Amino acid sequence: MKKILSIIGILALIGLGSAAYIYSLLFSSPFQHTETAYVYIDKDDTADSIRNKVQTAGQAKSMNGYDLMSKLKKYGDKHRTGRYAIKPGACMYNLVREMNNGIQVPTKIIIPTARTVEKVTGVIARSLMMDSISLASTLKEQMETLGYTKETLPALFIPDTYEVYWDITPENLLARLQKEHEKFWNAERTAKAKQAGFTPNEIATLASIVESETNYEPEKATVAGLYINRVHKGMLLQSDPTVKFALQKFELRRILFEHLAVDSPYNTYKYAGLPPGPICIPSKKGLDAVLNYEHHDYLYMCAKEDFSGSHNFAIGLAEHMQNARKYQQALNARGIK
């Protein structure tokens, strides 16, 4: 009897030891990293590649717990894409459970101010699982449904930092961007645009011109007021940045008569009114500068001859020509062509 009890005791100890070992594998942290690391799992990953990503990201000293948990959860080739966090001190039980259930953490994307939609889609795609080609293709397919043309599409983007899931689809991303667009264009901003005589897309077009004309924040509302005055008077906008856009020569530092001959609806020296769409993706500050434009009588502007980035403004043509001559002389003195 004593022998039987002894055997039972030994087996119990073995059972307890095994249970303790298994508990340790699943709930003790094998990771050695000191800051939160992330595992990015895409649709092409396999059981082996996911295992390697977890080990590398978390600097795991042992993967025994991962292997056991993966077997228990039957996790591996059938997986959920996404961005998963491995916090310092994380255990394999929680990590595999989160990956198996698709409990991922969002990532941040930056919608930048940029010259072209292609530039923006490239920046976005580099931060997500999607590629820029699929995003551009979806944009083209849904552009009309979203209420845009190729020319007005830059107005969709409201530059900011947004949180989305890393494996978000192009369709869902566009829906999110449209939602952010509608959020920005609230009742107050829409009313201001209407009061000025413009649609939100036209405000974006004006803002793109203003921001291409000046980086000097204090005078953006002044520049906006000038162009709005010209539009309301039926005058040519005569904006140099629109000519650069028409030529797709953004590096030009000096606009010559030969450049002004380009036959394009974006050539505001040739065609009155606003161009067909934004010539860049303007910032929130740029949009608000136009919505809160300065009320004045200026119709002309010219870059200051000190190359400070600010402008001389004028009501009449004679004063403007004096300002223009000073600037041209400064260009000639510096040999800028």
Side-chain angles (χ1 to χ4, degrees), residues 4-191:
I4 293 174
L5 290 174
S6 178
I7 293 172
I8 292 173
I10 292 171
L11 291 174
L13 288 173
I14 291 173
L16 287 172
S18 297
Y21 175 68
I22 292 173
Y23 184 89
S24 176
L25 287 179
L26 297 181
F27 295 100
S28 295
S29 179
F31 301 114
Q32 302 182 76
H33 64 299
T34 56
E35 296 182 357
T36 300
Y38 298 94
V39 178
Y40 296 84
I41 301 176
D42 61 45
K43 56 188 177 183
D44 296 325
D45 270 314
T46 64
D48 288 338
S49 65
I50 294 172
R51 186 183 189 279
N52 289 335
K53 285 183 176 182
V54 169
Q55 185 172 18
T56 301
Q59 301 175 30
K61 57 186 178 183
S62 170
M63 293 296 287
N64 292 336
Y66 178 89
D67 295 334
L68 175 59
M69 190 63 186
S70 296
K71 187 175 181 179
L72 292 172
K73 286 289 185 179
K74 298 180 181 179
Y75 178 74
D77 290 325
K78 291 183 179 180
H79 58 268
R80 294 174 184 262
T81 58
R83 176 179 185 255
Y84 300 94
I86 308 178
K87 295 181 180 179
C91 66
M92 286 300 186
Y93 177 86
N94 288 334
L95 176 62
V96 176
R97 182 179 60 83
E98 288 172 358
M99 294 193 301
N100 188 56
N101 294 328
I103 305 174
Q104 56 176 305
V105 293
T107 188
K108 292 181 179 180
I109 61 168
I110 297 174
I111 306 295
T113 56
R115 286 195 178 122
T116 65
V117 170
E118 290 75 20
K119 175 70 174 179
V120 173
T121 55
V123 171
I124 294 173
R126 284 195 291 273
S127 300
L128 301 172
M129 189 176 77
M130 70 182 69
D131 59 74
S132 58
I133 295 176
S134 63
L135 178 56
S137 177
T138 305
L139 261 177
K140 185 177 180 181
E141 292 170 2
Q142 295 195 4
M143 184 169 57
E144 188 174 341
T145 303
L146 292 170
Y148 299 92
T149 64
K150 180 182 178 182
E151 291 75 22
T152 61
L153 187 58
L156 164 66
F157 300 93
I158 304 297
D160 208 335
T161 300
Y162 302 104
E163 282 196 345
V164 299
Y165 287 118
W166 180 72
D167 61 350
I168 189 172
T169 64
E171 292 79 9
N172 287 340
L173 176 63
L174 292 185
R176 171 66 184 279
L177 293 179
Q178 182 72 342
K179 182 179 179 180
E180 294 296 339
H181 181 274
E182 292 169 358
K183 182 179 177 181
F184 177 83
W185 283 104
N186 55 28
E188 181 183 359
R189 287 192 174 98
T190 302

Side-chain angles (χ1 to χ4, degrees), residues 259-324:
H259 300 136
L260 300 181
V262 61
D263 188 16
S264 166
Y266 288 92
N267 184 354
T268 55
Y269 280 84
K270 185 181 288 285
Y271 294 98
L274 296 175
I279 59 173
C280 70
I281 295 170
S283 68
K284 282 184 175 180
K285 285 185 177 180
L287 292 166
D288 281 333
V290 175
L291 289 171
N292 299 289
Y293 68 96
E294 185 179 313
H295 294 259
H296 53 61
D297 295 323
Y298 293 136
L299 292 172
Y300 303 94
M301 61 183 285
C302 181
K304 283 187 176 180
E305 63 278 7
D306 61 1
F307 296 95
S308 62
S310 57
H311 294 77
N312 287 314
F313 296 92
I315 297 174
L317 183 59
E319 182 184 2
H320 171 63
M321 293 306 295
Q322 291 178 358
N323 293 333

